[in-house]
Amino acid sequence: EDQVTQSPEALRLQEGESSSLNCSYTVSGLRGLFWYRQDPGKGPEFLFTLYSAGEEKEKERLKATLTKKESFLHITAPKPEDSATYLCAVQAGGSRLTFGEGTQLTVNP
Amino acid sequence: DTEVTQTPKHLVMGMTNKKSLKCEQHMGHRAMYWYKQKAKKPPELMFVYSYEKLSINESVPSRFSPECPNSSLLNLHLHALQPEDSALYLCASSQEGPGRGYTFGSGTRLTVV
């Protein structure tokens, strides 16, 4: 059974204080690892797809990396508007996504 | 068009009512999904449609009835719901096959009274 564990559950940062979110996974035959951002009461917004160990992707202040067992979402010099819940999901065979519990990020001005 | 559109955005219904949630996409995606999300929890898969055929039903109670009239539309018919069914209902779509990310709609906030 595919499993995804995200840590920490919640993270408070000061504006400009860089940090990383972790996503550990157990899956048989990873086809893709996905990062989403979700604002309260909204649907998840796609951020990145990573397919193989060693892959990295960047978007503005966010950078996602992937190893054989985990993925990191690095946030550089965050701003208050980066406050959201960040969800990690894995996909093995077929199109089903298995989500982690998410990390709730708060960036204080 | 790169969006998944869900209507209504909010719905309040009684336990004896019948209502429907609607989802539409025009990205040519052939897989469509219904997810249920409770507060501070990740989305939980309910149903998967692939090429307009139901391919996965995650043992969802029969008071939830999905329908896929065509490749662009997905409905979720609701009947005799319970207060614990109150949640954010999310529709998503993707290209068929592994390695394809989902595009989510903004959801329908359902309250059962």
Side-chain angles (χ1 to χ4, degrees), chain A residues 44-85:
Chain A
E45 174 190 345
F46 172 78
L47 294 174
F48 303 108
T49 308
L50 301 167
Y51 294 103
S52 57
E55 191 174 0
E56 300 182 351
K57 288 191 176 175
E58 290 189 63
K59 179 181 179 180
E60 296 180 359
R61 295 177 292 282
L62 300 177
K63 179 180 176 181
T65 63
L66 182 65
T67 73
K68 289 188 177 180
K69 294 185 177 181
E70 57 191 349
S71 177
F72 292 93
L73 185 66
H74 307 277
I75 303 177
T76 302
K79 298 182 177 181
E81 53 262 42
D82 295 322
S83 298
T85 295

Side-chain angles (χ1 to χ4, degrees), chain A:
Chain A
E1 183 179 336
D2 301 340
Q3 289 192 328
V4 181
T5 303
Q6 291 188 245
S7 61
E9 290 184 15
L11 180 62
R12 284 188 177 274
L13 300 174
Q14 289 299 120
E15 186 172 1
E17 180 186 1
S18 301
S19 189
S20 296
L21 312 183
N22 177 263
C23 171
S24 298
Y25 64 91
T26 303
V27 63
S28 178
L30 181 71
R31 298 298 187 101
L33 184 141
F34 303 87
W35 283 98
Y36 286 87
R37 169 197 170 122
Q38 187 173 25
D39 294 300
K42 303 287 188 182
E45 174 190 345
F46 172 78
L47 294 174
F48 303 108
T49 308
L50 301 167
Y51 294 103
S52 57
E55 191 174 0
E56 300 182 351
K57 288 191 176 175
E58 290 189 63
K59 179 181 179 180
E60 296 180 359
R61 295 177 292 282
L62 300 177
K63 179 180 176 181
T65 63
L66 182 65
T67 73
K68 289 188 177 180
K69 294 185 177 181
E70 57 191 349
S71 177
F72 292 93
L73 185 66
H74 307 277
I75 303 177
T76 302
K79 298 182 177 181
E81 53 262 42
D82 295 322
S83 298
T85 295
Y86 290 84
L87 293 167
C88 171
V90 298
Q91 190 176 62
S95 55
R96 175 199 297 265
L97 289 186
T98 300
F99 284 90
E101 296 279 321
T103 293
Q104 186 173 350
L105 175 66
T106 303
V107 182
N108 295 314

Side-chain angles (χ1 to χ4, degrees), chain B residues 34-85:
Chain B
W34 281 114
Y35 276 82
K36 173 182 178 179
Q37 188 176 27
K38 303 284 266 186
K40 299 189 182 300
K41 290 292 185 182
E44 296 175 34
L45 182 64
M46 299 175 71
F47 302 105
V48 179
Y49 273 84
S50 177
Y51 291 92
E52 301 160 50
K53 295 191 185 305
L54 183 65
S55 60
I56 295 177
N57 176 340
E58 289 288 313
S59 302
V60 178
S62 60
R63 58 185 183 268
F64 296 91
S65 176
E67 178 195 23
C68 189
N70 60 54
S71 62
S72 299
L73 294 175
L74 188 65
N75 298 322
L76 186 63
H77 302 297
L78 313 173
H79 173 55
L81 295 192
Q82 304 297 310
E84 57 264 30
D85 296 322

Side-chain angles (χ1 to χ4, degrees), chain B residues 2 5 23 38 53 73 79 91 104 113:
Chain B
T2 58
T5 303
C23 174
K38 303 284 266 186
K53 295 191 185 305
L73 294 175
H79 173 55
C91 174
F104 281 90
V113 297

